[in-house]
Amino acid sequence: MSSKPRRKVVWGHLVLLSVIVVTVIAYLLDARGVSTLPTNLLLIQPLSIFALILAAFILPGVFPRKDAAKEPVAGETRLELMRCLALIAALGLLAFTLERIGFDVATFLFMVATMAICGERRWWVNIGFSALFTILLIYGYGTITPFPFPLTVL
Amino acid sequence: MIELDAVSAAFALLSSDLSAWLYLLPGLVIGLVFGAMPGISITMAMAFALPATLYMDFLPAIIFLTAIYTGAGFGGSVPAVLMNIPGTSSAVATTFDGYPMARAGRHNEALGVALASSVLGCLGSYLMLFLLIGPVSGLVLKLGPLEMFAVAIWGMLLLGSLAGTYLARGLLAGAFGVLLGTVGFNSAGFIRGTMGIPWLLDGVPQIPAMMGLLAASQLIGLVNTTYLITDESARKISFGKTLSGIRLTFRFPWVIMRGSIIGVLIGAIPGVGSSISNLLSYSETRRNSDDPDSFGKGNPAGVIAAEAANSSSEGGAMGTMLALGIPGGGATAILLAAFAMHNIVGGPSFIANNKDIVYALIFSNFAQAVLLLFVGLGFVYVASYIVRVPLHYLIPSVLVVSNFGAYAIEGSAAGPITLWVFAILGWAMLRYGYPVAAAVVGLLLGGLLESNLLRTYQISGGDYVDYAVQRPGALIIFALMLGSIALQAVSKRRRASKLSAGKPE
């Protein structure tokens, strides 16, 4: 008799499904809190219930058997996953700091960080390309769009 | 149907006014460049050019804007094929097979196929517009909210066939997208799901969300890849292969014809347009194919179906705009704004009194489509060099440009923040087999579905069945919808039995 568990947990999938379920429930409760009139809930309520039923159907897939068909991400190393997460973090920092530290500084720092994350090890190439790209983008995009991008240096 | 006097007056108008032709080429080039830039949509390209048309005569101004429309329509397919980034929602289905073709080193061929399909789709749609502008305008006028709801539901259900391996995950992605698409004010005045964030009152910013789900999520997934195309020999640029892609397109006349017809019909429906037509055409082509499993893995017929439909939607949307004065989307709304800038009101009276101008616009679009073949060929050749760029340059650059685009569209950090949130969601969905396209289309159609359902509820007083019986058009659409789902089920079963029969013992 084997001591190995017959099922495993796909943690990433569990997190994604939880986020979807929590969002749907929170949205439905919020909508019901606003009004229970049909003109408010006509689409949202039945569709939310449908989505929750679907999530219940999907849930067993989060705990597949050990011998089940592998998920698309099977074979990914921890380092590769960390790179993805680092890129996500850099993108988030860019989004939240663009207006505060200026588009020029935020873009340059993002370029340097993400080029390093993506594997560019030659620091002079990294800094040179990032600086050049930032200048070209700020002046090029600034020319074609009417929006005033907040800048700090350029 | 065709008024020959007006046709000859249109020829006279175009041959006497050289300035009308002068703006064709710049318009196409501007459209191609803007359309190919991630984060800049057709609408934005036309909006940027709109002030320039103030000092032009009416006809050259409209021709200039429609040239941008045509150019950007194809331009959007370039990043769709090369980087899996659809410039607009109308190029979503182009990514399904265009990008796998590029990943397999067939990027030149894929771009050639996309170009030829765009040109043929555009030509076909304006030919249909030329012949059918009268009857189409009458038909579109009869569409009520129930019909609009039925069309939108049809588009959503069709995603079931695009859902890939896991049907439940596909449906959940679509439902989740629709729910997110209803956040903010609904047409009855209720505010839901904004979490107290003011910029969510108008709903989730759709374009940044779409860019995050479809583009940034893919780029995050590519962080561990060195080149867009891994095989170095496959990264070579070949003019000959692009031409062979153009030739290859002519081997799929039915796909082009079906795509063009779907594109014109769906494009003519306000608010639906090319974002649905490319998916519908793709789905129908896959369903009718002898080898449906090859779709999504680099089948050129998928690219042809999507591009023929999205480029022909322009003709349909122009038909509705010219005949009814109703913009089908952002691009035709800008055209209507250009009409207004020249003190001209689009709609039935315009078409009745200015048939010569309408036909002149149609003829100039024939010329645009032909010119696009040559201009686009040169542009494709240049744009193809992008696959030679190592990804550690491309990923940060495209992400930054997308952020700039998201900021420019929203005019605040709401754009980049939305892009980031949906990039994470899209990345996670891709990892676990949830079709991102289903969520995107759901997000785009959420508001449309709710407002039309609401209008139907208000008009019918809650008695849907009685109301539906009085709307034969809606019943026909529902019947077509059920028919297409049944056909899909039959073809799936047939495919499964074929597969099991073909399996070795």
Side-chain angles (χ1 to χ4, degrees):
Chain A
M1 200 171 153
S2 172
S3 60
K4 285 180 184 173
R6 293 181 65 194
R7 286 184 181 272
K8 59 182 176 182
V9 182
V10 183
W11 289 104
H13 193 182
L14 183 62
V15 171
L16 173 66
L17 198 61
S18 304
V19 167
I20 292 174
V21 167
V22 168
T23 309
V24 169
I25 292 172
Y27 186 40
L28 178 61
L29 292 177
D30 184 66
R32 287 189 63 86
V34 171
S35 168
T36 52
L37 285 172
T39 45
N40 183 36
L41 299 174
L42 197 61
L43 181 69
I44 292 174
Q45 185 155 293
L47 194 60
S48 298
I49 293 166
F50 178 61
L52 293 174
I53 292 168
L54 284 170
F57 269 107
I58 294 166
L59 190 63
V62 176
F63 308 100
R65 288 178 187 278
K66 287 260 179 183
D67 55 353
K70 289 186 173 176
E71 293 282 341
V73 289
E76 184 185 57
T77 65
R78 191 172 289 269
L79 178 68
E80 286 171 343
L81 178 62
M82 291 307 288
R83 274 188 179 167
C84 292
L85 294 175
L87 185 60
I88 288 171
L91 193 61
L93 277 173
L94 176 73
F96 283 97
T97 58
L98 274 170
E99 283 183 321
R100 292 181 189 184
I101 62 172
F103 274 63
D104 43 3
V105 176
T107 298
F108 175 73
L109 292 176
F110 176 79
M111 290 295 294
V112 171
T114 46
M115 280 184 75
I117 293 166
C118 292
E120 179 55 71
R121 294 286 168 266
R122 295 164 298 172
W123 63 267
W124 68 93
V125 174
N126 187 335
I127 290 175
F129 179 79
S130 299
L132 187 68
F133 184 82
T134 302
I135 293 166
L136 287 175
L137 185 68
I138 294 291
Y139 288 116
Y141 219 102
T143 310
I144 58 171
T145 55
F147 299 101
F149 294 110
L151 301 171
T152 304
V153 178
L154 293 173
Chain B
M1 292 235 297
I2 301 165
E3 291 186 22
L4 292 175
D5 288 348
V7 170
S8 76
F11 275 119
L13 205 60
L14 286 171
S15 56
S16 63
D17 189 1
L18 262 182
S19 66
W21 298 103
L22 284 176
Y23 295 109
L24 266 189
L25 188 61
L28 279 176
V29 173
I30 290 170
L32 282 167
V33 172
F34 275 60
M37 279 173 70
I40 293 183
S41 62
I42 297 174
T43 313
M44 278 178 79
M46 290 174 72
F48 293 143
L50 186 62
T53 62
L54 191 62
Y55 302 102
M56 297 178 190
D57 287 337
F58 174 69
L59 188 60
I62 302 300
I63 288 175
F64 177 59
L65 288 172
T66 53
I68 294 174
Y69 195 173
T70 306
F74 168 66
S77 69
V78 176
V81 168
L82 296 180
M83 291 180 282
N84 209 19
I85 299 170
T88 60
S89 58
S90 58
V92 169
T94 309
T95 62
F96 297 162
D97 280 288
Y99 185 63
M101 281 180 82
R103 293 279 288 176
R106 296 170 67 197
H107 48 280
N108 293 294
E109 212 177 337
L111 288 168
V113 162
L115 176 62
S117 315
S118 288
V119 169
L120 292 172
C122 192
L123 276 175
S125 74
Y126 278 100
L127 183 65
M128 280 187 252
L129 184 61
F130 176 62
L131 297 171
L132 299 171
I133 186 142
V136 164
S137 63
L139 189 71
V140 174
L141 202 58
K142 288 177 183 162
L143 283 179
L146 186 60
E147 287 82 358
M148 294 288 282
F149 178 75
V151 169
I153 283 282
W154 192 3
M156 282 303 303
L157 280 176
L158 280 167
L159 285 169
S161 65
L162 304 170
T165 322
Y166 309 102
L167 182 64
R169 295 184 198 186
L171 290 173
L172 180 60
F176 190 53
V178 171
L179 284 171
L180 293 176
T182 60
V183 165
F185 263 114
N186 80 343
S187 50
F190 296 107
I191 306 168
R192 301 81 43 97
T194 60
M195 298 174 287
I197 300 169
W199 48 265
L200 282 178
L201 285 172
D202 288 333
V204 173
Q206 285 184 346
I207 296 173
M210 199 177 78
M211 285 159 69
L213 279 170
L214 291 165
S217 62
Q218 292 276 353
L219 290 170
I220 293 167
L222 279 173
V223 73
N224 297 302
T225 314
T226 314
Y227 284 97
L228 196 62
I229 297 165
T230 319
D231 180 9
E232 196 172 344
S233 62
R235 272 184 269 126
K236 286 179 181 160
I237 305 300
S238 164
F239 193 74
K241 281 182 183 170
T242 309
L243 282 177
S244 79
I246 291 175
R247 281 196 296 274
L248 178 66
T249 312
F250 290 94
R251 284 167 49 189
F252 299 89
W254 288 110
V255 177
I256 296 168
M257 205 174 288
R258 184 171 43 230
S260 300
I261 293 169
I262 289 172
V264 169
L265 293 177
I266 300 294
I269 301 169
V272 183
S274 55
S275 57
I276 291 297
S277 71
N278 71 106
L279 291 164
L280 190 65
S281 169
Y282 181 88
S283 170
E284 284 301 299
T285 303
R286 194 175 94 155
R287 192 176 61 75
N288 287 297
S289 170
D290 294 333
D291 184 16
D293 290 332
S294 65
F295 281 73
K297 295 170 187 164
N299 189 332
V303 180
I304 295 168
E307 282 299 306
N310 70 21
S311 55
S312 60
S313 298
E314 182 189 327
M318 284 286 285
T320 310
M321 196 272 288
L322 289 168
L324 302 172
I326 298 172
T332 38
I334 289 167
L335 280 172
L336 267 190
F339 271 54
M341 273 165 58
H342 291 83
N343 295 320
I344 290 170
V345 179
S349 63
F350 171 75
I351 212 166
N353 301 326
N354 302 285
K355 278 211 172 68
D356 52 343
I357 295 179
V358 172
Y359 283 125
L361 283 174
I362 291 171
F363 294 146
S364 79
N365 275 282
F366 285 143
Q368 278 171 30
V370 175
L371 195 60
L372 175 67
L373 184 64
F374 299 100
V375 179
L377 200 56
F379 182 76
V380 155
Y381 192 58
V382 174
S384 296
Y385 278 86
I386 206 161
V387 296
R388 287 181 165 180
V389 180
L391 281 173
H392 61 262
Y393 291 112
L394 201 63
I395 292 172
S397 310
V398 175
L399 282 176
V400 167
V401 174
S402 300
N403 264 279
F404 272 59
Y407 187 88
I409 288 164
E410 293 302 311
S412 72
I417 291 169
T418 307
L419 186 145
W420 179 63
V421 170
F422 280 86
I424 300 171
L425 181 66
W427 173 71
M429 287 173 78
L430 280 170
R431 286 172 69 83
Y432 300 108
Y434 291 77
V436 171
V440 170
V441 175
L443 186 70
L444 291 171
L445 291 184
L448 182 85
L449 275 169
E450 189 181 28
S451 59
N452 282 301
L453 189 60
L454 196 56
R455 244 173 268 149
T456 307
Y457 171 79
Q458 286 163 337
I459 295 169
S460 65
D463 191 354
Y464 292 109
V465 178
D466 189 43
Y467 180 67
V469 171
Q470 297 166 31
R471 306 288 305 180
L475 291 178
I476 289 169
I477 295 169
F478 276 119
L480 284 171
M481 185 170 81
L482 291 173
S484 102
I485 292 164
L487 276 173
Q488 215 159 285
V490 168
S491 70
K492 265 190 180 175
R493 191 181 296 174
R494 200 187 301 158
R495 205 186 318 152
S497 64
K498 264 186 196 172
L499 276 174
S500 60
K503 268 186 187 169
E505 293 296 320

